[in-house]
Amino acid sequence: MRIVCIGGGPAGLYFAALMKKADPAHDVTVVERNRADDTFGFGVVFSDATLEHFARADRETHDDIVRAFAHWDDIDIHYRGTVVTSTGHGFAGMSRQQLLDILQRRCRSLGVHLEFETEVRDLEAYRDADLILAADGVNSAIRARHADRFGRQIEWQPNRFVWLGTTYPFPAFTFIFKEDVHGLWRVHAYRYDAQHATFILETTDATWRRAGLDEASEDDTVAFTEELFADELKGHRILKNRSLWRNFPVVRNARWSHDNIVLVGDAAHTAHFSVGSGTKLAMEDAIALSRALQRDRMVPAALEAYESERRPEVESLQRAAQVSLEWFETAERYQRLEPIQFAMSLLTRSLRVTHDNLKVRDPRFVATVDRWFAEGAARQTGIPLPTTPAPTPPPMFTPFRLRDLVLSNRIVVSPMCQYSAEDGTPNDWHLVHLGGRAAGGAALVVAEMTDVSREGRISPGCTGMYKPEHVGAWKRIVDFVHRRTPARIALQLAHAGRKGSTRRMWEGVDEPLPDGNWPLVSASPIPYFPYSQIPREMTRVDMDLVRDQFVEAARMAEAAGFDMLELHMAHGYLLASFISPLTNLRTDAYGGLLELRLRYPLEVFDAVRAVWPAAKPISVKISATDWAPGGTTAADAVRVAARLRAHGCDAITVSTGQTVPYQRPVYGRLYQTPFSDRIRHEAGIPTMTVGNLSTHADANSILAAGRADLCVLARGHLYDPYWTRHAARDQDFDLRWPDQYLSVKSFTPRAR
Ligand SMILES: Cc1cc2nc3c(=O)[nH]c(=O)nc-3n(C[C@H](O)[C@H](O)[C@H](O)COP(=O)(O)OP(=O)(O)OC[C@H]3O[C@@H](n4cnc5c(N)ncnc54)[C@H](O)[C@@H]3O)c2cc1C
Ligand SMILES: Cc1cc2nc3c(=O)[nH]c(=O)nc-3n(C[C@H](O)[C@H](O)[C@H](O)COP(=O)(O)O)c2cc1C
């Protein structure tokens, strides 16, 4: 097979070596525009896991790489004059030049032709090659030439960064956050040999301009950096090497091959340098592609196999890298955090490293975090920490206070419609459903969306708080929870708006009733589905009526003994329909700008707050984005949360979407938690995070890193009403069982 690799970076060289090694009969050429010893950049870093992968692919290069390595376990985080260290991370760094030397040597010894100082301008000269490897890096000209065929997508990220080096061999992987008169500067530094470290300086565009670096020469940048980081560099110098300020391009391609041309490495995809994986991805591509070609010598089939094997892994890493780069882009947001929590937030930023992983890597660090967190919870609630020798509780088992309501831990059962009531009256099903979950260990159980009027229901099976008999029916459940369990219970009050008069969930979600419909109201007369009932645009008289129904329902909830209220302003129901511009097209004082769209929901909030006891909290559930063009965004959600806070709201439950049927949500594990993180820090209000949260490791990480104050599980609690008890057992935390069940202590669940 005749193979031409355009680009002699890690991807091109490694692939060439692996192919030649697999079959010496292959004719393999690498064409590189630079000289052999002419590289940009300083060091690269690999994790221990990546090295194992290399060992399996080619022992010789692996051994050379390992010999050249500087290895370290620690991450140092410099922040507000302190250094927080976390250990056990297992990284190795080496100079990029040394890596290229090793790969070039290996290529030569295997008989690969290396052509340096040859710039490929068009592929005509390689027409007769069986395979052309486009390994020409992030600015790939080959990709650009066939941009449509590859379905190229480049997203330029807003932050500015410059790739520098230093003669100070930082002893650990080092992150520095330093503020000066211009703003906050971030440094990513790691040693690559005994005398040198890579030093990437990053900041926002605004800070960069304020510092005048938009007009700086390379020497100006070096001088600026040496001065700003004089303390951290301990008298050492900053080194430059084509050190120009850049924006990071996130590169994606819908297809990685076209005819016999295949994209690898940075030409195919990039992952932000904060996850240190660009070279790893490039070399792993080379491994996967060479294996695919060994399995199947038909080039088109092999290229297809390569892409289908690699794509999921690459995209998963790109997702993690995206969250990581966004964390760095918005690091200003976290500046109020104390150093230990800032460190936790940084280390768990991609949501892949959890409290549990960190505990394995560095138990001392996690113990410090847990202690700090538990002490904060003790101060916030006035409940003293258990005295030693009792161990520090993990974050999820610390208490939390909202007004006078003290929750014994951080786990909440999310409100979930049961569609099992008659004319709004909850019954035995609701008693067992909510009672069972209250006995399951969660500190707070939120009863399902309960409607303030018969016409405000989603379905004929929804619960209500609009008839005198509802008070007694709810009181029976509330009393059970209070008398028989340590949990507290909240009621979620709502009006379904344009999403009302529909079938029970298992008969068709949001589908109109076949008969027996009731008239609907909403912010604007837009049906949910094109074939749904058209709601009537609310008049001021309607608005007064519904507001008063909320007030009356709140009074009834107090009479029933609920500990807390949640107002439902999410998922496209009535109050949410005012907030979203997709469902509110009003031209009066309640439509238009966000401030105006929020007027009626705030009016309802104020009216409810006025009658709800001052000692008891109210949370509001919002959709932090509509996931639809022209709809609400996370930035809007921050403003909504800040306004609610100013009106006395105690916490925001951060959900997303369900406003319009054509939404395009990006689902995944903890997919709504980044919205909670942002709202909590930018609006300065406690948050409850919900959505695909299923492990106690995630709950502990979220809480310890300050991404939310409470963790809410819906389906997790349908699956396992005793989720919290099981999480306690898994963590050896002593959560008291009901007396009736005490014998469970001597039972060992074998399946877990
Ligand atoms: C600031 C920064 C820090 C980074 N830190 C790390 C890190 O710590 N760890 C890590 O793993 N990765 C890191 N990376 C990423 C890493 O450098 C790349 O992901 C990796 O080099 C990709 O390898 P590649 O072979 O695909 O491309 P490259 O290494 O870019 O190689 C492409 C080669 O093609 C050549 N070329 C381009 N066009 C032509 C042409 N027309 N004709 C001939 N030759 C051509 C170029 O000269 C170049 O040598 C970092 C990147 C940046 C920007
Ligand atoms: C059966 C069911 C009923 C639900 N009913 C409600 C509800 O009444 N009120 C509400 O705010 N959310 C409701 N939701 C949404 C959940 O409260 C939660 O926001 C969502 O399911 C994401 O959490 P999860 O990934 O833990 O399930 C419901 C979800 C389910 C599965």
Side-chain angles (χ1 to χ4, degrees), residues 406-452:
V406 177
L407 302 174
S408 60
N409 63 53
R410 306 297 186 110
I411 304 301
V412 177
V413 176
S414 201
M416 282 177 282
C417 290
Q418 298 297 295
Y419 308 99
S420 302
E422 252 177 69
D423 195 9
T425 309
N427 51 43
D428 289 354
W429 176 263
H430 302 89
L431 175 69
V432 173
H433 168 70
L434 295 167
R437 275 142 194 92
L444 179 68
V445 174
V446 186
E448 69 191 77
M449 167 160 161
T450 293
D451 305 301
V452 298

Side-chain angles (χ1 to χ4, degrees), residues 5-13 31-34 38-41 43-46 96 100 115 118-121 134-142 145 161-164 173 190 198 200 242 246 248-249 264-283 285:
C5 306
I6 316 292
L13 291 168
V31 191
E32 166 59 49
R33 66 179 169 201
N34 292 334
D38 179 21
T39 188
F40 64 90
V44 297
V45 36
F46 298 121
R96 178 176 156 98
L100 295 183
E115 286 177 23
T118 311
E119 170 121 21
V120 176
R121 295 195 190 279
D136 51 345
V138 65
N139 298 317
S140 171
I142 302 178
R145 209 166 298 135
F161 74 93
V162 60
W163 201 348
L164 299 159
F173 196 121
Y190 45 90
T198 297
I200 302 169
R242 282 189 252 170
R246 303 161 205 262
F248 189 83
V264 290
D266 276 7
H269 45 67
T270 56
H272 191 243
F273 50 81
S274 61
V275 292
S277 296
T279 310
K280 158 199 145 86
L281 281 181
M283 292 176 67
D285 283 355

